[in-house]
Amino acid sequence: MPAKSRLSIDEVRHRLADAASVVVLTGAGISAESGVPTYRGTGGLWKNFRAQDLATLEAFDRDPALVWGWYRNRRRALLDCKPNPAHRALAAAAVNPERELIVITQNIDGLHTIAGLADPLEIHGNIWREKCVRCRHRVDRTADYTARRVPAEDAPPPKCPGCDDLLRPDVVWFGEQLDPLLLDSAFRAAEACDVMLVVGTSCEVHPAALIPLVARKAGACLVEINLEPTPLTERCDASLFAPAGQTVPELFG
Ligand code: BV8
């Protein structure tokens, strides 16, 4: 495979300035500088727990109190996490009327929204939202982040105000299908964009890992921002190996 022409950061900036449509796929790495643990890096979330123990419907059915304890623990840790310059730069870039900018995030921490970004595509859900296991009731607890209010880890799992069955975190667990409408919007955006930035993801989780490949196949300029190479690196037009909190603002500055 011939070596890719590697664009410099200035060339990427110019591509972004000239683009009519930009899509940004973000992963846990964009929130790392906010203090949110990543999933697979050193000290990553899964390092302490095995995903199949906690982030699956089977685990929840088996022990809802244990799974709720883990999510409440993660919510509590998030209370001290604020959006960083990367989140803020994307929220600011998204209001430019000359250029469409869509953020597709694998993150459930809600920091893109808290940074002021209108409607990110949260393809793995949001830790501050809950949904009933039986009826279609949904609860948004984002106000708990602002009020710094999280129930005790061992508090009983919440009940649905509609049908009194259990509420669960409104996130996509392993083995669960992503919301087909959200996923379709993500793939359509990838197909139509001029530039795709892939920020802070190990590109290990599917089907999210396919989104940059759809953009590439449709002819987009593909740029990765990470601390280390990933399975996507060799398919990128540029890989900027530096912290997202420094690089993303530079690209849109
Ligand atoms: C499904 C919510 C089927 C829960 C999450 C095909 C191939 C292989 C496997 C599969 C496949 N198809 C399906 C699978 C199985 C599975 C999967 O992908 N497994 C992998 C792990 C092998 N996928 C699924 O189960 C999906 N469902 O396919 O269902 C189906 C189909 C039809 C009908 C029914 C069923 C569901 C996947 C969603 C799982 N939920 N989260 C929760 O979090 O509690 S995934 C979880 O991983 C998070 O959402 C996270 O965002 C995501 C991806 O991780 P990353 O974001 O990439 O984070 P990571 O730590 O890995 O990497 C961070 C990166 O940032 C690193 O590269 C690091 O270097 C970098 N970084 C660190 N600091 C910085 C930085 N970069 C820049 N700056 C910094 N400062």
Side-chain angles (χ1 to χ4, degrees):
M1 176 116 166
K4 280 267 156 246
S5 69
R6 314 292 286 166
L7 300 176
S8 71
I9 190 163
D10 276 344
E11 286 163 327
V12 174
R13 280 163 55 95
H14 289 134
R15 292 289 186 103
L16 288 168
D18 296 344
S21 171
V22 173
V23 170
V24 187
L25 173 68
T26 66
I30 200 172
S31 296
E33 291 157 85
S34 296
V36 182
T38 63
Y39 287 78
R40 293 165 190 84
T42 46
L45 270 182
W46 303 132
K47 283 268 186 320
N48 309 324
F49 300 104
R50 296 184 317 148
Q52 57 271 34
D53 294 346
L54 297 172
T56 65
L57 183 57
E58 295 70 29
F60 184 79
D61 288 343
R62 193 171 51 240
D63 190 343
L66 172 72
V67 172
W68 262 114
W70 185 47
Y71 279 93
R72 281 167 171 165
N73 189 280
R74 289 170 68 187
R75 281 184 181 176
R76 191 165 294 103
L78 281 171
L79 295 182
D80 296 326
C81 299
K82 304 275 176 286
N84 66 54
H87 297 107
R88 291 199 295 270
L90 291 179
V95 297
N96 175 350
E98 305 291 305
R99 175 186 59 204
E100 176 189 62
L101 187 135
I102 296 170
V103 173
I104 303 164
T105 189
Q106 300 171 84
N107 299 341
I108 63 170
D109 57 33
L111 288 179
H112 282 300
T113 302
I114 293 163
L117 182 74
D119 52 45
L121 298 181
E122 295 178 314
I123 57 173
H124 291 162
N126 184 308
I127 198 169
W128 296 102
R129 281 200 308 268
E130 298 166 7
K131 66 181 182 183
C132 179
V133 294
R134 180 202 299 259
C135 72
R136 302 183 62 77
H137 196 88
R138 274 177 160 67
V139 180
D140 187 334
R141 295 245 180 265
T142 308
D144 287 3
Y145 170 84
T146 324
R148 299 183 60 78
R149 187 178 50 227
V150 175
E153 228 171 87
D154 57 357
K159 290 292 188 65
C160 172
C163 72
D164 203 38
D165 205 329
L166 280 177
L167 289 172
R168 56 164 278 185
D170 188 7
V171 299
V172 181
W173 281 328
F174 286 98
E176 291 190 316
Q177 200 175 351
L178 280 63
D179 176 321
L181 293 178
L182 265 183
L183 195 55
D184 185 54
S185 302
F187 281 135
R188 286 171 186 273
E191 272 166 353
C193 70
D194 303 303
V195 181
M196 173 171 278
L197 301 182
V198 182
V199 186
T201 176
S202 60
C203 299
E204 287 191 15
V205 172
H206 286 252
L210 301 176
I211 294 169
L213 303 182
V214 166
R216 181 88 194 114
K217 186 159 182 275
C221 169
L222 194 56
V223 179
E224 177 178 47
I225 295 157
N226 203 306
L227 299 181
E228 58 194 4
T230 71
L232 190 70
T233 301
E234 63 182 18
R235 296 166 184 247
C236 289
D237 296 291
S239 294
L240 306 174
F241 293 128
Q246 163 204 321
T247 313
V248 175
E250 265 180 66
L251 287 175
F252 289 102

